[in-house]
Amino acid sequence: MRSIQKTLTSIAAVAIILAGCKSMNKTTKGAVIGTAGGGAIGAVIGKVAGNTALGAIIGAAVGGATGAVIGHKMDKQAKEIESKVPGAKVDRVGEGIVVEFNEKILFAFSSYTLGANAASNLDKLATILKEYPDTDIEVQGHTDSRGTDEYNMGLSEKRAGAVANYLKGKGIPSSRIRTKGFGESAPVATNDTDEGRAQNRRVNFLITANEKMKEESKKEAAKP
C-alpha cells in the first residue's frame, strides 16, 4: 500500500508540475519529472494522456542535475532539426525531443511506401542525427481508424519499419533505432473527418539520451 501511495503522490506531483509551473522551462521540468518517478510514472502519465511520445520520454528521464545537462544538450539538437527539416514539427519534452511527420509528407492512405517528399526530409533528419551519435531514436507508427484493429496495427508497424530502414540506409546504426506500432490507438485528431484522419496517419520520432550521454552528463553535473 505504501508503494502505491508513493506512486500516486508522485504522479500527482508531476501532473501539477506539467499543468501549473509555467515559469519552468522544459529542461527544468524534465529534471523534476525524472526525479519524481522515472519509468513507472512515465508509463502511467503516457497512458492517461493518450500521448505515447510523452510517456516514453518521461519514462526514460534521468532527472536531477544530470537530467538538466541532458536537456541542455537536447535543446541544441532540437533547434537544428527545426531549422533544417521544414517538414517536421519539433517539440522539446523533458530530456528528449519529439519529431513528427504527418501523412501528407510520409504516406498515402493505407500505404507504407515512402514518397519523394518523405525521402528529402528524412535525408535532412538523418544528417542531423549523425551529428549527435549519443542519442537513441524510437520510431512510432500510427494510423487512422479505418480498417480493422489488426490491420491498422500491422500497417503502423510497417510504417515505422519503413522509416527506420530508410534511416539505417542513410548511415544511422541499427543499434540506435527501435520501432513501435500503435495502430489507431493514439489519435491526435478526430477520425470523423478526412482532415482529422490525415493527422492521425503519422510517424513520430522520439530522441532520447543513450547510456554514453547519460554517463557524460552525470560527470558534467558533478563538476564543481
Side-chain angles (χ1 to χ4, degrees):
M1 180 61 71
R2 284 185 179 180
S3 62
I4 294 174
Q5 289 174 338
K6 183 178 179 181
T7 299
L8 292 175
T9 301
S10 297
I11 293 172
V14 172
I16 291 170
I17 290 167
L18 291 175
C21 296
K22 294 182 180 180
S23 61
M24 285 187 178
N25 60 33
K26 290 177 181 177
T27 298
T28 304
K29 286 182 181 179
V32 177
I33 288 167
T35 303
I41 302 301
V44 173
I45 291 175
K47 184 175 181 180
V48 171
N51 188 325
T52 59
L54 177 63
I57 285 180
I58 294 176
V62 175
T66 301
V69 174
I70 292 172
H72 180 70
K73 294 179 179 180
M74 291 295 181
D75 286 341
K76 181 180 178 182
Q77 186 175 358
K79 289 177 182 177
E80 189 167 354
I81 296 172
E82 192 169 27
S83 65
K84 295 183 179 179
V85 188
K89 175 187 174 185
V90 183
D91 288 316
R92 271 282 290 111
V93 179
E95 296 171 20
I97 304 168
V98 179
V99 181
E100 182 176 318
F101 292 91
N102 63 29
E103 174 270 340
K104 294 177 182 177
I105 296 171
L106 282 180
F107 303 104
F109 169 68
S110 193
S111 172
Y112 58 93
T113 302
L114 293 170
N117 287 341
S120 176
N121 281 291
L122 289 173
D123 287 346
K124 296 181 178 72
L125 180 62
T127 298
I128 297 170
L129 292 175
K130 284 189 283 188
E131 294 176 3
Y132 297 87
D134 297 339
T135 56
D136 290 332
I137 306 107
E138 179 172 296
V139 185
Q140 295 187 344
H142 302 269
T143 71
D144 63 32
S145 63
R146 287 186 289 183
T148 65
D149 290 347
E150 182 179 4
Y151 175 81
N152 286 334
M153 180 58 72
L155 179 59
S156 68
E157 291 170 347
K158 289 176 182 177
R159 285 176 173 169
V163 172
N165 288 335
Y166 190 90
L167 292 177
K168 293 173 187 176
K170 292 298 176 178
I172 307 299
S174 59
S175 59
R176 293 181 60 191
I177 303 174
R178 59 185 180 272
T179 63
K180 192 168 185 178
F182 289 88
E184 62 184 76
S185 66
V188 294
T190 179
N191 276 302
D192 295 331
T193 66
D194 289 339
E195 182 180 357
R197 286 189 292 269
Q199 293 179 53
N200 290 330
R201 297 193 294 267
R202 69 196 193 279
V203 167
N204 293 343
F205 300 81
L206 278 58
I207 302 173
T208 55
N210 68 6
E211 291 304 316
K212 182 181 178 183
M213 180 186 285
K214 290 176 182 178
E215 285 301 315
E216 290 179 349
S217 298
K218 183 178 179 180
K219 293 176 182 178
E220 289 181 39
K223 291 179 180 178

